[in-house]
């Protein structure tokens, strides 16, 4: 049985505080011990009883309670990880300045555990030079910043500043804890082994238009590619994401090129590859596209009872990038396979490796494995990594963030 780790969840006063309940719940369900430190403002957005029921522990707010047990430093000292979600512009400024005027500030200053923060604010506040400078200070101290995402904000506005989805925050936090078992603390979040490198990642699934309203697509959500982008950012890389029809938000601080079809992805990847040190083809690219795209909607009355589509093969983007790579460029491909037999799965991976010419191939079981769904559209994944010679160099299963870090170890 795994030893529970102590995770302190700091909640500050923003509307996204209600989503912090899901973060607390996910850590508890994961088997970790969770202690919530909420600011007074946070408790105006979410109730203390809710947080106590979900965390199964008392919620602390007041600096002057529990003085006899020296609570203002005790909580931070026993933490294996601190997650601040949401982190408002004000709390980020206080963190950058090292202020300790409340229990959360004291807890963080008294701790040597890795710190993960999930900013949440309006776009103007996120883009304000004060916040930009404060976030840069936090990054320079090795603090992991998750998000914010881009999307609908509290009012009628839309833009960068939305708190990253709870499952992504949890996945990042657990991956950091997994890399720092037994309270490895600060070293894990300070890992910047991809600093100075440009990582190009494709994510999502391409859609091949059939007529103005229909397309041929696949079930890729883009979660693994986005986790790779997030993990690469956390490890100091400059990241370009070529994103096809993602079902998850694009992390901020990545340079993102939105594409629809395989042909558009080919163009975007070929352009971006010129400046990339590491290329990861995590996208599910359609192998075929309709030979012709109808200008008007295909009508049943005109087609009759049977519709036959003629498809033509799409270019193999990964094979093309591998063939035209510049010296020193590292290229990692994926192989999505439904094969259940482990030996046959590896054999398929080795055959694919020979066709693709990349440096590493991440063999990715998709479908139903050991009673749970893995691969497409789920938070978990299970992979085996092959090198050029077909030798297994790494195996990982777990959250897509921990799988992402295992893949990035090949580039670090
Ligand atoms: N890929 C690509 N261009 C394509 C098809 C796939 O770049 N037209 C990339 C994918 O992004 C992935 C790898 O090639 O990194 C393997 O994709 P996968 O779908 O597993 O294999 P395919 O090459 O499509 O072969 P098959 O579907 O027959 O297994």
């Amino acid at each position: 049985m795994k030893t529970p780790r102590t995770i302190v969840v700091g909640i500050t006063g923003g509307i996204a505080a209600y989503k912090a309940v899901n973060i607390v719940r996910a850590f508890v369900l994961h088997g970790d011990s969770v202690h919530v430190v909420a600011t007074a403002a946070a408790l105006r957005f979410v109730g203390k009883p809710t947080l106590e029921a979900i965390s199964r522990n008392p919620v602390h707010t007041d600096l002057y309670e529990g003085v006899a047990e020296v609570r203002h430093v005790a909580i931070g000292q026993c933490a294996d990880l601190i997650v601040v979600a949401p982190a408002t512009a004000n709390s980020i400024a206080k963190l950058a300045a090292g202020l300790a005027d409340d229990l959360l500030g004291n807890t963080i200053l008294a701790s040597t555990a890795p710190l993960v923060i999930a900013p949440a604010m309006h776009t103007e506040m996120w883009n304000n030079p004060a916040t930009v400078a404060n976030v840069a200070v936090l990054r320079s101290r090795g603090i992991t910043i998750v998000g914010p995402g881009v999307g609908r904000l509290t009012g009628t506005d839309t833009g960068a500043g939305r708190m990253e989805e709870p499952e992504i925050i949890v996945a990042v936090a657990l991956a950091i804890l997994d890399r720092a078992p037994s309270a490895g603390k600060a070293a894990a979040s300070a890992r910047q082994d991809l600093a100075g490198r440009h990582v190009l990642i494709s994510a999502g699934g391409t859609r091949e238009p059939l007529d103005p309203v229909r397309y041929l697509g696949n079930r890729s959500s883009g979660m693994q590619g986005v986790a790779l982008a997030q993990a690469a950012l956390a490890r100091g890389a400059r990241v370009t994401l070529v994103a096809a029809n993602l079902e998850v938000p694009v992390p901020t601080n990545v340079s993102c090129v939105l594409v629809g079809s395989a042909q558009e992805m080919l163009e975007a990847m070929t352009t971006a590859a010129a400046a990339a040190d590491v290329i990861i083809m995590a996208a599910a690219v359609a192998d075929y596209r309709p030979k012709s795209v109808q200008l008007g909607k295909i009508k049943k009355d005109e087609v009759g009872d049977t519709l036959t589509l003629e498809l033509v093969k799409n270019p193999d983007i990964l094979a093309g990038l591998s063939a035209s790579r510049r010296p020193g460029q590292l290229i990692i491909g994926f192989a999505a396979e439904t094969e259940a037999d482990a030996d046959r799965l590896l054999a398929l991976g080795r055959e694919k490796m020979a066709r693709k010419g990349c440096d590493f191939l991440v063999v990715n079981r998709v479908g139903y494995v050991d009673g749970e769904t893995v691969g497409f559209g789920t938070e978990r994944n299970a992979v085996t990594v092959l090198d050029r010679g077909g030798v297994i160099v790494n195996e990982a299963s777990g959250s897509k963030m921990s799988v992402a870090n295992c893949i990035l170890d090949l580039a670090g």
Side-chain angles (χ1 to χ4, degrees):
M1 215 177 79
K2 83 183 182 70
T3 321
R5 285 104 26 127
T6 300
I7 302 176
V8 172
V9 178
I11 306 179
T12 71
I15 183 68
Y18 79 92
K19 293 191 192 170
V21 176
N22 286 338
I23 295 173
V24 171
R25 183 168 171 75
F27 288 140
V28 171
L29 292 179
H30 190 258
D32 291 308
S33 165
V34 183
H35 294 270
V36 173
V37 178
T39 64
L43 294 183
R44 300 183 72 151
F45 290 95
V46 60
K48 202 170 182 176
T50 305
L51 294 167
E52 294 195 329
I54 299 293
S55 71
R56 302 175 191 171
N57 275 312
V59 169
H60 303 293
T61 310
D62 191 337
L63 192 51
Y64 295 99
E65 270 176 12
V67 175
E69 61 196 64
V70 204
R71 190 177 290 160
H72 71 292
V73 292
I75 300 172
Q77 285 170 341
C78 71
D80 292 307
L81 178 80
I82 300 180
V83 178
V84 181
T88 57
N90 182 53
S91 63
I92 287 173
K94 284 167 64 171
L95 269 175
L99 292 187
D101 61 348
D102 60 9
L103 185 62
L104 182 59
N106 280 268
T107 299
I108 290 170
L109 279 189
S111 177
T112 54
L115 178 58
V116 175
I117 73 162
M121 63 199 76
H122 283 272
T123 308
E124 295 81 357
M125 298 167 86
W126 176 246
N127 289 334
N128 188 290
T131 308
V132 171
N134 290 332
V135 169
V137 166
L138 298 186
R139 279 192 207 286
S140 72
R141 292 186 195 144
I143 291 167
T144 302
I145 317 276
V146 188
V150 178
R152 186 73 193 263
L153 302 171
T154 324
T156 52
D157 48 342
T158 299
R162 192 184 151 88
M163 189 174 85
E164 189 54 278
E165 294 306 317
E167 56 270 27
I168 293 186
I169 298 168
V170 168
V172 171
L174 292 179
I176 287 173
L177 267 180
D178 290 347
R179 295 214 305 272
S182 65
K185 310 213 168 165
S189 70
R191 182 169 168 192
Q192 293 284 290
D193 57 350
L194 296 178
R197 306 190 72 193
H198 182 186
V199 178
L200 168 63
I201 299 164
S202 70
T206 68
R207 291 178 181 174
E208 310 303 315
L210 196 53
D211 70 12
V213 293
R214 303 184 180 94
Y215 56 82
L216 299 179
N218 60 66
R219 292 164 59 103
S220 174
S221 62
M223 279 168 80
Q224 184 62 75
V226 166
L228 279 159
Q230 190 76 60
L233 272 178
R235 289 166 72 156
R238 182 157 72 86
V239 178
T240 298
L241 187 68
V242 173
N245 312 298
L246 300 186
E247 288 171 17
V248 287
V250 175
T252 41
N253 301 323
V254 305
S255 159
C256 183
V257 186
L258 296 176
V259 297
S261 65
Q263 191 58 39
E264 288 170 13
M265 179 166 277
L266 171 70
E267 284 158 27
M269 288 300 290
T270 307
T271 305
D277 301 306
V278 179
I279 300 173
I280 307 177
M281 274 298 298
V285 184
D287 291 329
Y288 295 90
R289 66 179 183 278
K291 187 172 184 186
S292 58
V293 181
Q294 303 297 308
L295 289 177
K297 189 180 169 202
I298 299 171
K299 303 292 284 179
K300 279 197 296 291
D301 288 352
E302 292 161 18
V303 174
D305 288 344
T306 315
L307 171 62
T308 304
L309 296 176
E310 196 176 354
L311 306 178
V312 291
K313 212 171 190 178
N314 271 328
D316 191 317
I317 304 171
L318 175 61
L321 292 170
S322 300
S324 61
R325 79 173 71 193
R326 54 180 177 72
Q329 201 169 47
L330 183 82
I331 302 187
I332 301 174
F334 271 70
E337 306 289 354
T338 52
E339 176 60 55
D341 178 75
D343 291 340
R344 181 75 196 124
L345 178 71
L346 282 178
L348 286 175
R350 289 180 180 123
E351 284 164 23
K352 200 165 276 186
M353 173 56 114
R355 290 203 303 275
K356 301 285 182 177
C358 49
D359 297 293
F360 295 105
L361 193 73
V362 181
V363 183
N364 179 204
R365 209 33 225 287
V366 291
Y368 206 55
V369 182
D370 297 335
E372 63 176 313
T373 306
V374 295
F376 288 160
T378 64
E379 174 38 40
R380 295 175 68 74
N381 210 354
V383 302
T384 301
V385 185
L386 302 177
D387 71 6
R388 271 168 171 276
V391 175
I392 297 175
V393 290
N394 219 337
E395 282 180 297
S397 68
S399 71
K400 287 189 170 167
M401 188 57 70
S402 63
V403 167
N405 273 306
C406 157
I407 294 166
L408 291 172
D409 286 345
L410 303 165

